[in-house]
Amino acid sequence: MSSGKGGELIPSSSELDLDRPNIEDYLPSGSSIHEPVGKLRLCNLLDISPTLTEAAGAIVDDSFTRCFKSNPPEPWNWNVYLFPLWWCGVVIRYLILFPVRVIVLTVGWIIFLSCFIPVHLLLKEHDKLQKNMERALVELICSFFVASWTGVINYHGPRPSMRPKQVFVANHTSTIDFIILEQMSSFAVIMQKHPGWVGLLQSTILESVGCIWFNRSEAKDRETVTKKLREHSQGVDNNPLLIFPEGTCVNNQYSVMFKKGAFELGCTICPIAIKYNKIFVDAFWNSRKQSFTMHLLQLMTSWAVVCDVWYLEPQNLRPDETPIEFAERVRDIISVRAGLKKVPWDGYLKYSRPSSKHRERKQQSFAESVLRRLEEK
Amino acid sequence: MGNSSSMLTQYDIEEVQEYCQNLFSQQEIVSLYQRFCQLDRNAKGFISADEFLSVPEFAMNPLSQRLLKMVDGLNFKDFVAFLSAFSAKASVQQKVKLIFKFYDSDGNGKVSFNDMLEVLRDLSGSFISDVQREQVLTQLLKEAGYSKDSYLTFDDFNKIFGISELKMEVEVPVD
């Protein structure tokens, strides 16, 4: 979702270019803070302990992996009387709630399809009416989805209005973020194209609300997507755009760096913060561990999905701000509201290695220190 | 260990603790095991090079490639033994031993001029020329009483690092 500089074919690791806020400011640099002084001796040259320590520190714990750790609620069924209680809970959830939810969802789909298909095929001339009806229907099916997880959603703040040159951004925990937000007001979202039945849904129904697709693995894709984003945001009649600038699902305790694409469109940015209550279910979709179907099934066999959604004050690019600074400022607003810890990593590092610029920076500082101390006699 | 469940028994913990010469507390070993299981994605019993490199902070480190030769494919016991050199309770000798093993990549007990040059190259990259690197290393070896053709043993390393304070500590987070 971020624009490269012109049509570069370099994969997403080039995101970590010199434009980004300096990661070194965030990372613990330990002993490298203490600049060594004095004449260079053999033991100084051979002393790799600072660099080794950093590597070992990364092996033991690192802030990037922490962002994608699923934290399921602690098991509490370890007792003679707690276990049967928990067992009752399981029976209720799987044998009573789950079938009811499946029925609710099926009914919802039947109603939706029986209205959507005629509207889509027959109302081709009455553009505006068709659009409004399709929007209402998508909101309806999203409500059915939310009902199928017994979603208890607290919306705070004024409902988004449909105005041009307005883009909504939110933190991302799972694809259901979109469903939860779409239930309240119609958005056009930008999403990764998924395979399977989700992809089918994307290309048929979500097209009608004006969604935009991108493919993470295609490098040139970014340029076309940015163009589409720009066109869409200028259009008066289009649904407001919803963008998840993190670019990937994070576990709702941390937030990774926001991609600047959404912040360069020349639009007002309306931040939305979403926080799930972990006691009921861990809504983080760990796409490395589960497919989306399994994720939905997990939600449908839990007690409830409880979350808070805050619509925050719209922000504009300040005259002295770069888009990256703007993105960080909005990330700050959202992280504070949703109680997320900020980490200085690009979410796409889930899929690719960091660029060599960081290693080179470390090598440069080591080289400079050695050469400087050589001068001292 | 090597079982697929993420639970350590008390026996396991004590065995690992003995193996790493009591340099980690039992709590720390439990935390390290959680971390080990987190990195070892498909529960194979060891962490592959690719899985280490998926930690961006590790991949960015100039010494990561050489370090991978030491840690790739280690089971949990050896993983803890490797990290024990970074414990606060480890002695300077134990830390020097790890540094020596790091330089001595072929494990023959001797560190050659080339070994040291390779590590220097990893650390300084293209910011010092090859010629200058050789010059600096030769000069410093001479000043310390060795020559370009000397092979340094572990005792030599102890002598070189003897008096200096090595700050090589990593804290294991214990929740």
Side-chain angles (χ1 to χ4, degrees), chain B residues 3 5 13 23 34-35 43 54 60 62-63 80 82 90 96 107 117 124 128 131 138 150 158 166 172:
Chain B
N3 52 358
S5 69
I13 298 176
L23 286 170
Q34 281 172 354
R35 176 65 172 178
S54 72
M60 286 183 344
L63 298 177
V80 175
F82 169 80
V96 174
L117 203 61
S124 50
I128 303 185
V131 169
T138 318
S150 311
N158 267 320
L166 273 183
V172 179

Side-chain angles (χ1 to χ4, degrees), chain A residues 169-174 177 181 243-246 248 252 254-255 258 272-276 334 338 340:
Chain A
V169 303
N171 58 310
H172 201 26
T173 308
S174 158
D177 290 338
L181 293 176
I243 299 182
F244 296 105
E246 288 174 308
T248 186
N252 210 224
Y254 295 90
S255 70
F258 276 11
I272 303 178
I274 309 177
K275 181 75 173 185
Y276 292 89
I334 293 181
L340 307 171

Side-chain angles (χ1 to χ4, degrees), chain A residues 39-40 43 46-48 51 53 55 58-60 62 64 69 288 353 358-360 363 367 371 374, chain B residues 35 38 41 50 53 55-56 59-61 67 102-103 116 122-123 127 132 136 140 143 160 166 168-169:
Chain A
K39 180 165 176 261
L40 194 65
C43 61
L46 295 181
D47 184 6
I48 45 173
T51 318
T53 312
I59 294 179
V60 166
D62 76 293
F64 184 74
K69 206 164 85 159
R288 282 191 284 205
R353 302 263 175 265
H358 296 275
R359 181 179 308 181
E360 283 166 15
Q363 289 174 326
L371 292 175
L374 261 187
Chain B
R35 176 65 172 178
Q38 190 186 50
R41 269 189 229 136
D50 218 37
L53 289 173
V55 177
M60 286 183 344
N61 194 293
L67 200 55
F102 182 83
Y103 275 97
M116 293 185 272
D122 283 340
L123 281 176
F127 297 94
Q132 198 171 18
V136 174
L140 289 182
E143 286 175 13
I160 294 168
L166 273 183
M168 211 166 93
E169 257 172 52

Side-chain angles (χ1 to χ4, degrees), chain A residues 142-209:
Chain A
C142 286
S143 307
F144 269 101
F145 261 111
V146 172
S148 76
W149 321 309
T150 317
V152 178
I153 306 171
N154 242 329
Y155 295 94
H156 311 262
R159 226 178 108 162
S161 48
M162 287 236 316
R163 290 188 289 201
K165 309 240 339 2
Q166 205 178 230
V167 166
F168 289 82
V169 303
N171 58 310
H172 201 26
T173 308
S174 158
T175 311
I176 67 172
D177 290 338
F178 163 65
I179 299 179
I180 286 175
L181 293 176
E182 186 81 14
Q183 188 201 207
M184 265 310 258
S185 49
S186 227
F187 287 110
V189 81
I190 162 165
M191 286 170 100
Q192 162 84 27
K193 201 74 183 334
H194 287 273
W197 63 272
V198 183
L200 182 63
L201 280 187
Q202 287 178 320
S203 32
T204 47
I205 297 167
L206 293 180
E207 271 305 324
S208 65
V209 284

Side-chain angles (χ1 to χ4, degrees), chain B:
Chain B
M1 252 116 296
N3 52 358
S4 47
S5 69
S6 296
M7 288 303 297
L8 278 183
T9 68
Q10 184 63 24
Y11 292 118
D12 293 329
I13 298 176
E14 284 170 6
E15 196 188 324
V16 174
Q17 206 177 19
E18 220 188 281
Y19 192 71
C20 73
Q21 291 147 353
N22 277 326
L23 286 170
F24 282 123
S25 72
Q26 297 199 351
Q27 271 279 53
E28 289 172 324
I29 292 180
V30 171
S31 287
L32 283 174
Y33 189 64
Q34 281 172 354
R35 176 65 172 178
F36 187 85
C37 293
Q38 190 186 50
L39 292 175
D40 173 18
R41 269 189 229 136
N42 26 19
K44 337 179 253 321
F46 64 88
I47 307 174
S48 66
D50 218 37
E51 287 164 345
F52 275 113
L53 289 173
S54 72
V55 177
E57 229 174 291
F58 181 82
M60 286 183 344
N61 194 293
L63 298 177
S64 54
Q65 286 304 321
R66 204 178 174 96
L67 200 55
L68 273 178
K69 293 198 198 115
M70 285 178 85
V71 295
D72 184 15
L74 287 183
N75 64 17
F76 181 59
K77 265 204 330 212
D78 292 323
F79 177 73
V80 175
F82 169 80
L83 288 173
S84 62
F86 296 92
S87 148
K89 302 188 211 149
S91 68
V92 174
Q93 264 238 343
Q94 285 165 317
K95 296 185 201 274
V96 174
K97 185 140 192 228
L98 185 73
I99 296 182
F100 182 78
K101 265 177 66 184
F102 182 83
Y103 275 97
D104 180 21
S105 53
D106 55 5
N108 62 356
K110 296 185 286 204
V111 169
S112 68
F113 184 78
N114 253 330
D115 288 331
M116 293 185 272
L117 203 61
E118 272 173 16
V119 174
L120 257 182
R121 196 176 302 136
D122 283 340
L123 281 176
S124 50
S126 54
F127 297 94
I128 303 185
S129 70
D130 280 334
V131 169
Q132 198 171 18
R133 259 192 292 260
E134 272 200 50
Q135 260 179 4
V136 174
L137 187 56
T138 318
Q139 180 192 337
L140 289 182
L141 276 171
K142 216 169 71 164
E143 286 175 13
Y146 301 97
S147 80
K148 193 170 156 176
D149 308 309
S150 311
Y151 283 91
L152 297 171
T153 63
F154 178 50
D155 285 327
D156 292 317
F157 259 64
N158 267 320
K159 255 187 271 164
I160 294 168
F161 283 103
I163 30 167
S164 59
E165 246 196 61
L166 273 183
K167 262 188 281 197
M168 211 166 93
E169 257 172 52
V170 163
E171 205 188 300
V172 179
V174 172
D175 5 76

